[in-house]
Amino acid sequence: MKLTVPALSLNESFVRSTVAAFCVSSSPTLEEINDIKTAVSEAVTNSIVHAYGSEKGNIEIEAILLCDCVDIVIRDFGKGIANIDEAMQPFFTTRADDERSGMGFTVMQAFVDDVKVKSEVGVGTAVSLHKRFEEVKC
Amino acid sequence: MTVDYEQLGDVLYARLSGELDEHTASSVRASLDNLIEVKHFRCLVLDFKDVDFMDSTGVGMVLGRFKKLKKSGKSLLLKRPNSQVLKVFKSCGLLEILETEI
């Protein structure tokens, strides 16, 4: 599936629910569905808050579903991340005054099996999430 | 997302309802800060029973209220988070800082 939405916070709920609904045909557990929703929500929040800030832009979400796993890519065309290793450190945030927890990537890593980030300053960021399903039902 | 409250003695109960994310966190923050400012209490109980979903934006909001309350000698208790919300708090290390009642 491929989905493109404006980078607005009101779209977060729609995106995570749509990705979760897309995964249902592989019969993931409720916990796995919630894990996917959580990780997607974190990546989309990063795009809205950090990549675009007050700028307008789009977020593209692509997902490929197999019977035992799902691969999801959340891509923005915002300002990019200069230092990915630093950005992925727990509690790292550029917006501490805004009560940001700095735990977005940490939560993604805790909720899915693999998180990969590709980014280029001034071009954008792509976050790839891989989630395996415990019980293969096909 | 809604915030309802009830005060019993010096305990203020705030019942959160809905999904707590980037879109809703600022209004919840404003509602709670208003309660914190106006009400006289010793402990704020955040009841998560009707919170269906939360991400780390919610963690930042809760942590912010915790710091605010701590400064004025008041306590915070998280109550009845569902398994998804609990897992987010846990992955952020908040269960080691905040008192939580399942």
Side-chain angles (χ1 to χ4, degrees):
Chain A
M1 66 157 247
K2 191 170 178 178
L3 186 66
T4 303
V5 296
L8 300 169
S9 65
L10 69 88
N11 288 325
E12 280 191 8
S13 180
F14 171 72
V15 171
R16 63 180 176 254
S17 300
T18 302
V19 175
F22 173 72
C23 295
V24 163
S25 61
S26 287
S27 305
T29 63
L30 181 60
E31 184 178 0
E32 287 164 346
I33 284 280
N34 283 331
D35 289 350
I36 292 163
K37 282 175 80 173
T38 310
V40 167
S41 195
E42 297 295 349
V44 172
T45 301
N46 277 352
S47 293
I48 293 168
V49 175
H50 301 290
Y52 291 116
S54 53
E55 304 286 316
K56 284 183 182 173
N58 284 336
I59 302 171
E60 287 181 3
I61 300 98
E62 277 184 74
I64 297 169
L65 183 66
L66 300 173
C67 60
D68 62 345
C69 68
V70 63
D71 282 295
I72 305 159
V73 180
I74 292 110
R75 187 177 289 111
D76 67 62
F77 309 93
K79 69 178 187 183
I81 303 168
N83 186 335
I84 294 171
D85 289 340
E86 185 184 49
M88 291 183 82
Q89 289 300 311
F91 303 109
F92 175 82
T93 181
T94 51
R95 305 269 295 269
D97 52 335
D98 207 14
E99 289 191 351
R100 299 280 157 200
S101 68
M103 296 300 279
F105 281 119
T106 304
V107 169
M108 283 183 234
Q109 286 167 326
F111 280 66
V112 297
D113 298 293
D114 192 36
V115 179
K116 285 191 175 70
V117 183
K118 283 183 184 169
S119 191
E120 199 179 331
V121 172
V123 176
T125 301
V127 175
S128 303
L129 307 171
H130 177 76
K131 178 73 177 175
R132 280 192 300 275
F133 303 134
E134 198 73 21
E135 248 183 75
V136 180
K137 298 181 181 86
C138 55
Chain B
M1 179 112 214
T2 58
V3 180
D4 297 318
Y5 72 92
E6 183 182 12
Q7 185 155 6
L8 293 172
D10 55 9
V11 180
L12 182 61
Y13 294 87
R15 252 189 326 273
L16 311 182
S17 177
E19 296 191 325
L20 185 49
D21 64 7
E22 176 63 22
H23 190 56
T24 57
S26 56
S27 70
V28 175
R29 179 185 296 121
S31 300
L32 291 177
D33 281 351
N34 184 47
L35 284 174
I36 290 169
E37 204 172 300
V38 170
K39 300 288 175 188
H40 297 282
F41 61 95
R42 276 181 48 197
C43 175
L44 175 65
V45 177
L46 285 184
D47 190 345
F48 277 80
K49 181 179 166 285
D50 295 321
V51 175
D52 306 315
F53 176 88
M54 185 188 79
D55 62 18
S56 70
T57 306
V59 171
M61 191 281 294
V62 171
L63 207 51
R65 309 289 71 67
F66 171 69
K67 287 176 184 169
K68 196 169 195 168
L69 290 167
K70 203 178 171 190
K71 267 185 193 168
S72 53
K74 293 169 181 167
S75 60
L76 178 68
L77 172 67
L78 306 180
K79 210 173 168 184
R80 302 193 285 182
N82 72 19
S83 57
Q84 187 271 334
V85 173
L86 191 65
K87 193 169 173 180
V88 173
F89 278 130
K90 198 173 178 183
S91 65
C92 293
L94 251 73
L95 298 186
E96 289 143 36
I97 305 168
L98 300 178
E99 203 182 333
T100 310
E101 200 179 291
I102 307 298

